[in-house]
Amino acid sequence: MRMAGRAIELGAAGVLALALATAQAQQNPAAEAARAWRTAHERAILAEFMGLLAIPNLARDGPNIRRNAAAVEGLLERRGVKTRVLEVPGAPPVVFGAIDTPGAARTLVFYAHYDGQPLDPKEWTTPPWQPAVREGRIYARSASDDKAPIMAIGAALDGLRAAGIAPRSNIRFVFEGEEEAGSPHLASILEKYKDLLGGDVWLICDGPVHQSRRQQIVFGARGITTLDITLYGPRHELHSGHYGNWAPNPAMMLARLLASMKDGEGRVTIAHFYDGIEPLSATERQAIAEAPDVDGGLMRELWLGATEGGGQKLVELLNLPSLNVRGMSSARTGAQASNVVPGTATASIDIRLVKGIDHDAEAARVIEHIRKQGYFVVATEPDAATRMAHARVAKVVVEAGGYDAARTSMDLPISQVVLRTAESARGPVVKLPTMGGSVPLYMIEKILGAPTITVPIANHDNNQHSFDENLRIENLWDGIELLAALLAM
Amino acid sequence: MRMAGRAIELGAAGVLALALATAQAQQNPAAEAARAWRTAHERAILAEFMGLLAIPNLARDGPNIRRNAAAVEGLLERRGVKTRVLEVPGAPPVVFGAIDTPGAARTLVFYAHYDGQPLDPKEWTTPPWQPAVREGRIYARSASDDKAPIMAIGAALDGLRAAGIAPRSNIRFVFEGEEEAGSPHLASILEKYKDLLGGDVWLICDGPVHQSRRQQIVFGARGITTLDITLYGPRHELHSGHYGNWAPNPAMMLARLLASMKDGEGRVTIAHFYDGIEPLSATERQAIAEAPDVDGGLMRELWLGATEGGGQKLVELLNLPSLNVRGMSSARTGAQASNVVPGTATASIDIRLVKGIDHDAEAARVIEHIRKQGYFVVATEPDAATRMAHARVAKVVVEAGGYDAARTSMDLPISQVVLRTAESARGPVVKLPTMGGSVPLYMIEKILGAPTITVPIANHDNNQHSFDENLRIENLWDGIELLAALLAM
C-alpha cells in the first residue's frame, strides 16, 4: 500500500484555505442538508458504494459492464429518478436519468462514467474488485475514477430529499460505460439521443480535486490520441552472443527512436508538435497565476528530484500538449531475462492535446517524424518481403477513439453561476482552464452545443489508471456536499 | 513453430562443401563405426535423448537439476564409464566421468552442460520439457544447448564399443549444471578438483556449427558480463494526463540513456569500451577470411533488411565486444497498456567480451558512462531521500558470474591434431578464432592451465536461449560421428 495516509504537505497557507473552505460550506443549505444526511448514514453510503465497486467494470467485459449499468440504474431509481438505458450497437449502455422541474429556467446535465481502466490484478495489494478500506481510503478499480461521483450523486439526492429541498433546474444524468476505452460510441449516442441530452451546461463529474485538497473547478480537458509503435529486429529472438553486434536490436532501435522525440528538458522535438495551440485568455492566465503552487509538495510526495518542462509549473504545463511513453517492452527483464537479441520492441504512447490541435493531425506528425528517422511505416504486421526491403520498419497503430481538447470560457454566465455555487458549498475553489486528463468534452460541445464544466471530487493521490486505485473517504463526503449544491442550483 | 524446415540458402559452393564433407567422413574408422551403430539404433538413441530432455533443467531448480545429474551419470555408467559427482556447497553437481587408457600419451577432457536457459512456457509451441519431434527436429529446452553433445557422446561410446575401437587417450567427462546461470561455482569446483580435471586439452562441446551447416572448430569464446539498469520516475505510476509532461518519464529517460550508448551503426560509444583488445594473429585473420560468407543467406533467413557494424561481416564482428539490450520493460504495452507515467523502467544488458578485456573493467566503463549522463548510480533500491536528492537516479546491478574471453592459438600441436581428426570425420571444417557466445573457457585455462577448443554439434538455427529451442536430428547424427572420432583420437 503505497499512498495510504500520506497527505501532501500544504504549508500554512494551504491549511488556512482548507479551514476556510470548511467554514464556508455552511453557507449553502443544500450542502448543509447533504452533510446532515451523510453524517447520519455513513455506513449505509459506504455499503452501497462497495456493492457498486464489487462489479468488474472493464468496457470490453460485456456481461459485467451490463451488470454495472443495471446497478447504476437501480441507484437512480431508488432515489425516484426516471431512468432509461440508451443503446447503440456494440456499445456498453449509457444510463440516462431525468428529474423534471416544472418551470425550470435551465437544464443541468451531470456526466460520469462507470467503466474503469484495464489492469493487472497481480499488481494490486487487494483484488481490484473486492473493495477494501485501509487508513481512511477505499481501494478498488474506479473507487475514484469514476464511480465516486455516481455514489456521491445518490447520497446527495437522499440528503436533498430528506431536507425537503427540490432542484430548481431540470436535472439529467448521463453515465457512460466506455470512457476508459476512449468513448468510441459516445458521438453516435449523442447524435442519436440529441433531444434527450441537450442542456445549458454539462457538468463533468470526473477527475481529481486540486493537489492542495481544495475543491477545483475546471473549464476544459485535454484531448488524447494513443499509438503503439513496434520495431523489428530478427524474425525471432537470437542468441545474443552469436549474433549480438550484427543483427539489429529492436530495443536499441526503439530507444534511439523515442530519444529523438524529446529533448533533455522534456520538450517534444517532433516538427509542428506545438503548432496551432489556441492562446489562453487574460482570465485564464490569471486563474493559473492564482492556483496554489503545489509543485514542491508534489515532488516530495512523489519522491521526485526533478521535473520536466524547463522550470514551468505543473499547472502551466497542462496547457501544452504532451507526449508520454505509457509502456515499453522488448523480450524480458528480471528473473525471466535471457541472453537474446529480441525479435521486436514496442512502445505505447499517449499524446495529450490542448485546444487548437486536431488529434488526427498530431498523430500524423508523430508518424511523419518516425518516417524522418528512416523508418518504413506500416499500419499492420509487416511480412518478410517488407522487412527485408527496408533497413528499418515500424508498425504504428493509432488507436481508434482519440479526440480533441475542449475549453469553456470562464466568463460565460453559467460558468459564473457554477463557480459561485461551488464556492458557497466548498469555500474558495481553484479555477483552471483545463485539467491534465482527457474526457470527451469536445464531442459534447460539438454535437449538443452545450458548454462543459468539470466538477471533480476525487483526491489527486488516488492511483487512478494504475494499481491500488483508491478514494479518500473524506473526498466522498466533500463530493456529496458539492453535488448536492449543484443539483439544487 | 517459426524455424522448422527452413534451411539456409547455401548456393552451389555450400552444397559442394557439404557433399565433400559427407564423402570424407568415411576416412575415419571411429566415425564410420559410430555411423553404423547410429543407423541401426536411431529409435533407441532418440528415445534415450527424449527421456533426458523431459527433465526440467533450470539451474535454480534444485530437485530437478539433481534428477538431471543422476540421469547424466546413468548415461555414462551404462557405457562402462567410471563416474563421480563433484560437489561444492550451493551448486548443482558436476557429473564427472573417466576412461583410463593404460599407456595413453594424453588426456582429453570433454566438457558439456546439462542445465538450460530460463524460459516462459507460454511462449512455446509445445511445452519445453515435453520433447516433440516436428519436421526433422526435436523441440525441447536444451535439445541443442547443451544436452545434445551429452547424448552424442553416449551414442558414440556405444558405436566405438560395438566396433571394438578403444580410446587411445585418457578420457574425462565434465558435465556442468549451472552454465546458463553464469557458472558461478565453476571456479571453485575447478580449484577443489584440480587433480581430477587437468588434461592436455578441454574439448568444449557447446554452441552451434557453422551457418552453412559445415562442421566448425572454434578456438575461443567471448566472455560475458550482464547488468540490469533501472531508472526511476515518480514513486508510483501516475495518471499520464494529470502529470504527463511534468513528472519525469523513466521509460523516456531509459530510451535516452540507451541511445547514448551506441551510434547509428551499432558501434558502442561508451568511452574505452574497445580498449585493450588483443589483436588477431595472421593464422586467425586467415581463418576468418576463409570462413564461408553466410551473411546474405542469414539476412534472408532472419528477415533482416540491414545489419549493424558498418558493413563488416558477422564472422569479423564476433571478434569485437558487443553491447546488447536483451530485454526492456516499463509499465505495460498491448491490451494491458494504460495511460500512466510509469514508476520505473528497466533494461537488461549483456556485454560480450573478447580477449584482452576484463569483464569487471568493462562493466565499470558502462557504469561510468551512466554517471556521465547525469545519473547518480546506486547498486540497491534507492530510498526516498536518495531519489529526491538527485535529478536522475539509476540502479545498476552487475550480475555475479561474469567472466573474460579466452582464445587458444590455432598453431598449437593439439590444435592441429583436433583439426585433422575433425576433418577426417566431417570433411573440411570452418575454423574460427572465437565463437560469438560465451562459455567459461577463461577459468579453465587460468585454473587448470589446459587449452580449450570448442567442438560444437548443434544447428545454428536452433532457437537457443529462446522459446522453441530445437535440434536438427541430422546434427545429432553428425555429432555422434565427430565425437566418436575425437574420443578415439
Side-chain angles (χ1 to χ4, degrees):
Chain A
M1 191 177 60
R2 295 185 175 200
M3 291 294 300
R6 278 191 68 86
I8 186 169
E9 293 162 51
L10 291 169
V15 172
L16 189 67
L18 276 180
L20 194 64
T22 308
Q24 291 186 336
Q26 309 306 326
Q27 297 176 356
N28 185 299
E32 267 181 75
R35 174 176 297 198
W37 173 267
R38 180 268 294 180
T39 311
H41 298 86
E42 288 186 352
R43 277 171 174 276
I45 295 167
L46 288 181
E48 184 175 5
F49 190 32
M50 288 170 83
L52 183 60
L53 294 175
I55 313 171
N57 65 334
L58 300 186
R60 61 171 182 260
D61 175 5
N64 274 318
I65 210 75
R66 289 188 172 268
R67 288 178 58 214
N68 276 279
V72 169
E73 205 183 351
L75 181 147
L76 291 177
E77 282 173 350
R78 284 194 295 280
R79 274 86 185 182
V81 177
K82 285 181 295 178
T83 66
R84 185 171 159 186
V85 166
L86 311 186
E87 301 256 13
V88 297
V94 165
V95 177
F96 174 79
I99 301 173
D100 291 318
T101 303
R106 63 183 161 226
T107 299
L108 309 176
V109 185
F110 289 80
Y111 165 93
H113 64 90
Y114 61 82
D115 66 311
Q117 272 273 322
L119 52 81
D120 180 355
K122 287 193 299 293
E123 296 179 328
W124 287 63
T125 304
T126 46
W129 290 295
Q130 292 178 27
V133 174
R134 294 193 293 275
E135 300 178 45
R137 295 176 187 229
I138 303 176
Y139 288 80
R141 173 54 87 224
S142 297
S144 59
D145 179 19
D146 187 38
K147 288 177 172 176
I150 297 175
M151 188 62 241
I153 283 169
L157 290 172
D158 288 337
L160 292 176
R161 188 156 58 166
I165 301 174
R168 273 176 294 214
S169 310
N170 291 317
I171 305 292
R172 306 286 178 259
F173 300 109
V174 177
F175 297 150
E176 194 191 359
E178 55 173 5
E179 195 270 344
E180 298 295 2
S183 300
H185 300 88
L186 186 62
S188 52
I189 289 174
L190 296 181
E191 291 284 3
K192 180 170 173 185
Y193 297 99
K194 217 168 183 169
D195 296 342
L196 221 49
L197 300 176
D200 294 280
V201 66
W202 270 51
L203 296 169
I204 308 298
C205 306
D206 197 359
V209 301
H210 193 259
Q211 290 92 346
S212 63
R213 303 219 186 279
R214 270 169 65 186
Q215 181 61 52
Q216 112 184 328
I217 304 290
V218 188
F219 290 82
R222 290 203 280 191
I224 189 167
T225 187
T226 307
L227 39 89
D228 283 359
I229 303 169
T230 299
L231 305 187
Y232 298 86
R235 182 184 179 186
H236 53 79
E237 290 179 2
L238 292 178
H239 187 290
S240 62
H242 298 310
Y243 301 97
N245 38 352
W246 177 82
N249 182 309
M252 184 57 92
M253 291 161 70
L254 185 63
R256 296 179 62 82
L257 178 61
L258 294 176
S260 75
M261 294 183 181
K262 277 190 160 187
D263 68 17
E265 300 217 307
R267 191 166 172 87
V268 179
T269 50
I270 293 169
H272 307 297
F273 192 81
Y274 297 102
D275 286 4
I277 298 174
E278 188 176 301
L280 296 169
S281 71
T283 315
E284 288 164 337
R285 285 198 307 273
Q286 193 193 333
I288 290 172
E290 285 173 3
D293 185 358
V294 293
D295 288 29
L298 264 181
M299 285 178 72
R300 285 188 292 279
E301 180 178 324
L302 299 171
W303 296 2
L304 294 179
T307 58
E308 293 187 347
Q312 285 186 86
K313 293 196 297 178
L314 172 56
V315 70
E316 294 167 323
L317 289 167
L318 299 184
N319 295 286
L320 289 177
S322 73
L323 181 147
N324 176 65
V325 182
R326 61 185 195 148
M328 193 161 71
S329 63
S330 185
R332 296 156 301 278
T333 59
Q336 301 269 302
S338 55
N339 294 329
V340 296
V341 179
T344 61
T346 298
S348 189
I349 285 176
D350 66 274
I351 291 166
R352 303 287 173 166
L353 304 155
V354 296
K355 202 158 180 189
I357 299 183
D358 177 78
H359 67 281
D360 285 328
E362 197 75 326
R365 290 164 178 172
V366 177
I367 291 171
E368 184 53 31
H369 177 84
I370 296 171
R371 281 205 186 94
K372 274 196 218 146
Q373 309 308 306
Y375 284 89
F376 182 74
V377 176
V378 293
T380 56
E381 202 62 19
D383 60 13
T386 304
R387 286 169 64 171
M388 285 190 275
H390 304 277
R392 301 172 174 185
V393 176
K395 181 178 74 172
V396 182
V397 179
V398 181
E399 223 174 275
Y403 50 82
D404 293 351
R407 203 161 77 221
T408 296
S409 167
M410 291 182 188
D411 301 320
L412 293 183
I414 189 71
S415 301
Q416 291 298 312
V417 171
V418 168
L419 279 173
R420 278 199 305 274
T421 303
E423 297 209 318
S424 71
R426 301 273 307 118
V429 303
V430 178
K431 302 178 275 285
L432 296 179
T434 187
M435 69 167 78
S438 306
V439 274
L441 308 180
Y442 155 82
M443 272 183 266
I444 297 161
E445 293 190 12
K446 192 174 151 200
I447 298 170
L448 303 176
T452 63
I453 300 174
T454 299
V455 291
I457 70 168
N459 41 300
H460 73 285
D461 51 355
N462 66 13
N463 269 23
Q464 183 185 8
H465 288 204
S466 183
F467 54 87
D468 288 353
E469 178 178 349
N470 66 82
L471 179 72
R472 270 176 88 235
I473 294 173
E474 193 57 43
N475 277 68
L476 181 60
W477 302 159
D478 292 346
I480 292 168
E481 294 175 33
L482 173 72
L483 285 161
L486 294 171
L487 284 164
M489 181 174 89
Chain B
M1 194 178 57
R2 295 184 175 200
M3 291 294 300
R6 277 190 70 84
I8 187 167
E9 293 161 52
L10 291 170
V15 172
L16 189 65
L18 275 180
L20 195 62
T22 307
Q24 291 184 332
Q26 309 307 323
Q27 298 176 354
N28 185 297
E32 267 179 74
R35 174 177 296 197
W37 174 269
R38 179 268 295 179
T39 310
H41 299 86
E42 288 187 352
R43 276 171 177 275
I45 296 168
L46 288 182
E48 185 174 7
F49 190 33
M50 289 169 84
L52 183 60
L53 294 174
I55 314 171
N57 66 334
L58 300 186
R60 63 171 182 261
D61 175 5
N64 275 318
I65 210 74
R66 289 186 173 271
R67 287 178 58 212
N68 276 279
V72 169
E73 206 184 349
L75 181 146
L76 290 177
E77 282 172 350
R78 282 194 296 280
R79 274 87 187 180
V81 178
K82 284 180 298 179
T83 65
R84 185 170 159 188
V85 165
L86 311 187
E87 300 256 13
V88 296
V94 165
V95 177
F96 173 79
I99 301 172
D100 291 319
T101 303
R106 61 182 163 226
T107 298
L108 309 175
V109 186
F110 290 81
Y111 166 92
H113 63 90
Y114 61 82
D115 66 310
Q117 272 274 323
L119 53 81
D120 180 354
K122 287 193 299 292
E123 296 178 329
W124 287 63
T125 304
T126 47
W129 291 295
Q130 291 179 28
V133 174
R134 294 193 293 276
E135 299 178 46
R137 295 176 186 228
I138 303 177
Y139 287 80
R141 172 53 90 225
S142 297
S144 58
D145 177 20
D146 184 36
K147 288 178 171 174
I150 297 175
M151 188 61 242
I153 283 169
L157 290 172
D158 288 337
L160 291 176
R161 189 157 57 168
I165 301 174
R168 275 175 292 215
S169 311
N170 291 317
I171 304 292
R172 306 287 179 257
F173 300 109
V174 178
F175 297 151
E176 194 192 359
E178 55 174 6
E179 195 270 346
E180 298 294 2
S183 300
H185 301 88
L186 186 62
S188 52
I189 288 174
L190 296 181
E191 291 284 3
K192 181 172 174 185
Y193 298 99
K194 216 168 183 169
D195 297 341
L196 220 51
L197 299 177
D200 295 279
V201 65
W202 270 51
L203 296 169
I204 308 298
C205 307
D206 198 1
V209 301
H210 194 257
Q211 290 91 348
S212 64
R213 303 220 187 279
R214 270 170 64 188
Q215 182 62 51
Q216 109 183 332
I217 304 290
V218 188
F219 290 81
R222 291 202 281 191
I224 188 168
T225 186
T226 306
L227 39 86
D228 283 358
I229 303 169
T230 300
L231 306 187
Y232 298 87
R235 182 184 179 187
H236 53 78
E237 290 178 359
L238 292 177
H239 187 291
S240 63
H242 298 311
Y243 301 96
N245 38 352
W246 177 82
N249 183 309
M252 183 57 91
M253 290 161 70
L254 185 63
R256 295 179 63 82
L257 178 61
L258 294 175
S260 75
M261 294 183 180
K262 279 192 158 185
D263 68 17
E265 299 218 308
R267 190 167 172 87
V268 178
T269 49
I270 292 168
H272 308 295
F273 191 81
Y274 297 101
D275 285 5
I277 298 173
E278 189 175 300
L280 296 169
S281 71
T283 314
E284 289 164 337
R285 285 199 305 275
Q286 194 194 331
I288 290 172
E290 286 173 4
D293 185 358
V294 293
D295 288 31
L298 265 181
M299 285 178 72
R300 285 188 293 278
E301 181 177 325
L302 299 170
W303 296 2
L304 293 179
T307 58
E308 292 188 349
Q312 284 186 87
K313 292 197 297 179
L314 172 57
V315 71
E316 296 168 321
L317 289 167
L318 299 183
N319 295 286
L320 289 177
S322 73
L323 182 148
N324 176 65
V325 182
R326 62 183 195 150
M328 194 162 70
S329 62
S330 185
R332 296 156 302 279
T333 58
Q336 301 270 303
S338 56
N339 294 329
V340 296
V341 179
T344 62
T346 298
S348 190
I349 285 176
D350 66 274
I351 292 166
R352 304 286 173 167
L353 303 155
V354 296
K355 202 158 182 190
I357 299 184
D358 176 78
H359 67 281
D360 285 328
E362 196 76 324
R365 290 165 177 171
V366 177
I367 291 171
E368 185 52 32
H369 176 86
I370 296 171
R371 281 206 187 92
K372 274 196 217 145
Q373 310 308 307
Y375 284 88
F376 182 75
V377 176
V378 293
T380 56
E381 201 62 19
D383 61 12
T386 305
R387 287 170 62 172
M388 284 189 276
H390 304 277
R392 300 172 176 185
V393 176
K395 181 178 72 171
V396 183
V397 179
V398 180
E399 223 175 276
Y403 50 83
D404 293 352
R407 203 162 74 221
T408 295
S409 167
M410 290 182 188
D411 300 320
L412 293 183
I414 189 70
S415 301
Q416 292 299 313
V417 171
V418 168
L419 280 173
R420 278 198 305 274
T421 304
E423 297 209 319
S424 72
R426 302 274 304 117
V429 303
V430 179
K431 302 177 273 288
L432 295 180
T434 187
M435 69 167 78
S438 306
V439 275
L441 308 181
Y442 156 81
M443 273 181 267
I444 297 161
E445 294 190 11
K446 192 175 153 200
I447 298 170
L448 303 176
T452 62
I453 299 173
T454 298
V455 292
I457 69 168
N459 41 301
H460 73 285
D461 51 354
N462 65 14
N463 269 25
Q464 184 186 6
H465 287 203
S466 183
F467 54 88
D468 288 354
E469 177 179 346
N470 65 82
L471 179 72
R472 269 176 86 235
I473 293 172
E474 193 56 42
N475 277 67
L476 181 60
W477 301 159
D478 292 345
I480 292 169
E481 294 175 33
L482 174 72
L483 285 160
L486 294 171
L487 285 163
M489 182 173 87

